[in-house]
Amino acid sequence: MTTTRSGVRQHPTVEERRERGAAARREVPRSRLAEWDPPADRFDPVQLLESQAVSRIQDLVPIRYGRMLASPFAFYRGAAAIMAADLAASPTSGITVQACGDAHLSNFGLYASPARTLVFDLNDFDETLPAPWEWDVKRLTASLEIAGRNNGFGRKDRRRIVRAAAAGYRTTMRDFAEKPNLEVWYSRSTVQKHMPVMKQMLTPKDFAQAEKVVTKAMAQDSSRAASRLTRVVDGQRRIVHDPPLIEPMEMLGSADEAARVSGAMHEMINDYRQTLSLESRYVLESFRYVHLARKVVGVGSVGTRAWIILMTGRDDEDVLLLQAKEAQASVLAPYAEASQFDNQGQRVVEGQRLMQASGDIFLGWHRAEGIDGQLRDYYIRQLRDWKGSWDPAAMSPHAMVVYGSLCGAVLARAHARSGDRIAIASYLGSSDRADRALVDFAEAYADQNERDCAALRRAVEDGRCAATTGV
């Protein structure tokens, strides 16, 4: 889309958009999607991780490294910055989308829509920015190759899994290229729609496992989270103390500091409310702030600041748990388009709203001063709302084929909402040439990931980095 001097937007025709994709293919053939040839002077991956650690809570950084060293797959989950630097030098078609920035298979999952249906979608947007669509697809396909290796699958099975994901992306994008704009926008992946299809595709054992994931997800709400994470102490509900993973505010600093931060929470919540829709503000107003605790989350996110905010409604049994998670600059920022948002929390929220078909009604952002006096950006959402995911380690090869294909399709839908779906579909074409190239890339990059994981392990063994395991 272009804009004339008079400010009128010019919309290219379908044929012009198809030609854009065809021209990109002539410039960068699909076979080049397979390329991974690290330069002799490639950066030190451990040094890049260390540079990320500078802005994080130093006591928690060893936990991050310990979690990453659990396996090459765990390392990959925490190595988004490493892969972003690698992808920046790779050939692309020049077609950008709102990219997730960290689209590995564990960042897809189940959650509740505002209409209280269970949907399957991307669920992590910490790194979202406008960027080449290929970066997300390569991040996903490489994660499947690495997960397959982690499960001990043979090469033939792994290549079949990755190819299914690439084909899922390509065929879904081509399908969306033929659909009207609003049909693309309203499209969503509901569990109600997919479970009958999955029952036909999966073995009885794999389908039973999928049903367990769905049942467990629907039990993961604020009430269930409150029973695990809070206790009534002296007649008041409080977040439990479970160091170092959960530490109430009063345990982190002096009494004066804790009182100051807790006192500022009311102002913070009021400011955050302004980033919500009007009806969501009314709902939030019916809850009162009660307690605050710091929480260690994820693998790659460990060390960034994340808080549990406990609120209660009609009584102490009516609980709302929010999570405020620090949003730092995206790992894509040095290589992709600049964000139009000054607040990193808003960058995450707006990117999520653009990519997800259904969103949390309490998704918003805020800039707050911590106990150290530093201003930091946060995005805020419900801590639990029918959250669930299928553990890759529990998947059979056939189940991972089905899951990978579904992830590829969901990623295509997310990209089709913001990017030129017709141009991308034209670039990918009707043959499986792009699929096969992405299989080769995933295999080559999985080798690189193993080398990088080994480099971090050596750094820990040599005393360069500290790692805490089992946390």
Side-chain angles (χ1 to χ4, degrees):
M1 184 182 298
T2 59
T3 303
T4 66
R5 290 182 180 179
S6 61
V8 178
R9 290 190 171 186
Q10 298 293 307
H11 292 264
T13 66
V14 169
E15 285 306 317
E16 288 171 337
R17 295 165 72 180
R18 286 176 180 153
E19 175 53 30
R20 181 190 180 198
R25 191 199 299 182
R26 291 191 292 271
E27 182 71 22
V28 181
R30 290 166 295 178
S31 60
R32 297 198 65 191
L33 292 172
E35 291 182 11
W36 173 245
D37 185 18
D41 60 348
R42 181 176 179 261
F43 56 87
D44 177 358
V46 177
Q47 187 175 35
L48 186 50
L49 293 175
E50 289 175 323
S51 69
Q52 280 190 296
V54 171
S55 62
R56 302 193 178 207
I57 301 169
Q58 295 305 298
D59 290 346
L60 300 181
V61 172
I63 296 177
R64 183 191 188 207
Y65 292 154
R67 289 185 175 183
M68 289 178 69
L69 287 175
S71 68
F73 181 70
F75 177 87
Y76 186 80
R77 290 185 59 182
I82 294 173
M83 192 169 190
D86 285 329
L87 290 174
S90 65
T92 69
S93 63
I95 306 169
T96 62
V97 297
Q98 184 70 34
C100 168
D102 192 15
H104 64 74
L105 79 163
S106 293
N107 278 343
F108 293 76
L110 303 169
Y111 63 91
S113 75
R116 312 316 291 164
T117 58
L118 195 62
V119 297
F120 180 81
D121 210 332
L122 281 158
N123 60 14
D124 189 304
F125 299 88
D126 288 10
E127 314 301 346
T128 186
L129 266 183
W133 61 269
E134 294 96 330
W135 293 2
D136 273 354
V137 177
K138 288 182 175 181
R139 181 84 174 140
L140 171 61
T141 52
S143 74
L144 287 158
E145 168 70 21
I146 295 165
R149 294 184 184 192
N150 198 58
N151 287 5
F153 298 162
R155 184 170 183 260
K156 184 177 179 180
D157 279 334
R158 299 197 310 267
R159 292 178 70 84
R160 185 164 59 96
I161 289 164
V162 176
R163 192 165 175 174
Y169 182 90
R170 176 178 54 82
T171 57
T172 302
M173 187 63 76
R174 287 179 60 81
D175 182 47
F176 278 129
E178 301 301 319
K179 292 184 182 297
N181 292 354
L182 286 180
E183 188 171 342
V184 173
W185 191 257
Y186 290 138
S187 174
R188 66 200 65 229
S189 297
T190 64
V191 171
Q192 289 91 331
K193 179 176 72 175
H194 281 292
M195 289 303 282
V197 177
M198 292 182 70
K199 188 172 184 178
Q200 298 299 317
M201 298 177 68
L202 295 172
T203 66
K205 181 179 179 181
D206 286 334
F207 183 71
Q209 178 66 26
E211 284 189 309
K212 287 182 182 179
V213 171
V214 170
T215 301
K216 183 178 179 181
M218 295 183 73
Q220 296 294 331
D221 57 14
S222 284
S223 296
R224 178 72 174 271
S227 68
R228 293 178 53 250
L229 299 176
T230 72
R231 298 286 184 274
V232 176
V233 179
D234 297 329
Q236 291 188 313
R237 189 167 291 279
R238 289 288 183 266
I239 301 169
V240 297
H241 186 212
D242 182 21
L245 301 183
I246 302 176
E247 297 186 274
M249 182 66 235
E250 58 270 20
M251 302 291 182
L252 294 173
S254 67
D256 288 343
E257 289 172 329
R260 176 172 61 83
V261 172
S262 294
M265 283 301 297
H266 297 284
E267 181 180 352
M268 185 281 288
I269 291 171
N270 186 61
D271 289 345
Y272 147 66
R273 281 180 59 249
Q274 307 311 309
T275 68
L276 305 179
S277 64
L278 182 61
E279 66 271 21
S280 296
R281 293 181 209 167
Y282 277 108
V283 178
L284 187 64
E285 272 191 337
S286 67
F287 291 87
R288 66 182 181 89
Y289 165 73
V290 175
H291 200 207
L292 180 71
R294 190 178 74 189
K295 188 176 189 298
V296 175
V297 295
V299 178
S301 296
V302 175
T304 56
R305 288 124 186 112
W307 301 90
I308 302 173
I309 303 169
L310 170 62
M311 305 182 76
T312 57
R314 64 183 298 273
D315 54 35
D316 281 349
E317 300 303 312
D318 182 14
V319 174
L320 172 64
L321 286 167
L322 299 176
Q323 176 179 284
K325 188 176 179 184
E326 182 183 3
Q328 299 186 347
S330 167
V331 297
L332 303 183
Y335 324 106
E337 295 182 22
S339 173
Q340 62 179 300
F341 306 108
D342 175 62
N343 187 302
Q344 296 296 330
Q346 184 177 9
R347 171 187 61 78
V348 172
V349 169
E350 300 292 5
Q352 181 167 345
R353 288 174 176 171
L354 188 55
M355 296 189 74
Q356 271 189 334
S358 301
D360 186 344
I361 64 170
F362 292 120
L363 181 64
W365 67 88
H366 181 61
R367 178 169 288 162
E369 182 179 303
I371 57 177
D372 59 0
Q374 296 295 312
L375 285 174
R376 294 184 176 87
D377 294 339
Y378 293 86
Y379 65 93
I380 303 168
R381 64 185 181 189
Q382 291 185 72
L383 179 63
R384 296 278 194 278
D385 194 24
W386 290 9
K387 301 294 193 302
S389 59
W390 197 349
D391 180 8
M395 295 183 194
S396 68
H398 180 65
M400 196 173 284
V401 166
V402 175
Y403 188 78
S405 177
L406 180 58
C407 289
V410 164
L411 182 60
R413 183 206 49 74
H415 285 175
R417 289 164 65 93
S418 63
D420 189 337
R421 64 188 188 277
I422 296 173
I424 297 172
S426 176
Y427 177 85
L428 288 169
S430 59
S431 77
D432 66 352
R433 190 167 300 176
D435 309 348
R436 290 185 280 110
L438 286 164
V439 169
D440 290 340
F441 170 83
E443 191 169 59
Y445 200 81
D447 292 341
Q448 182 65 62
N449 180 74
E450 291 178 1
R451 293 191 292 269
D452 291 345
C453 182
L456 177 60
R457 192 174 303 280
R458 287 193 300 272
V460 170
E461 292 170 350
D462 294 343
R464 176 179 170 183
C465 303
T468 302
T469 58
V471 181

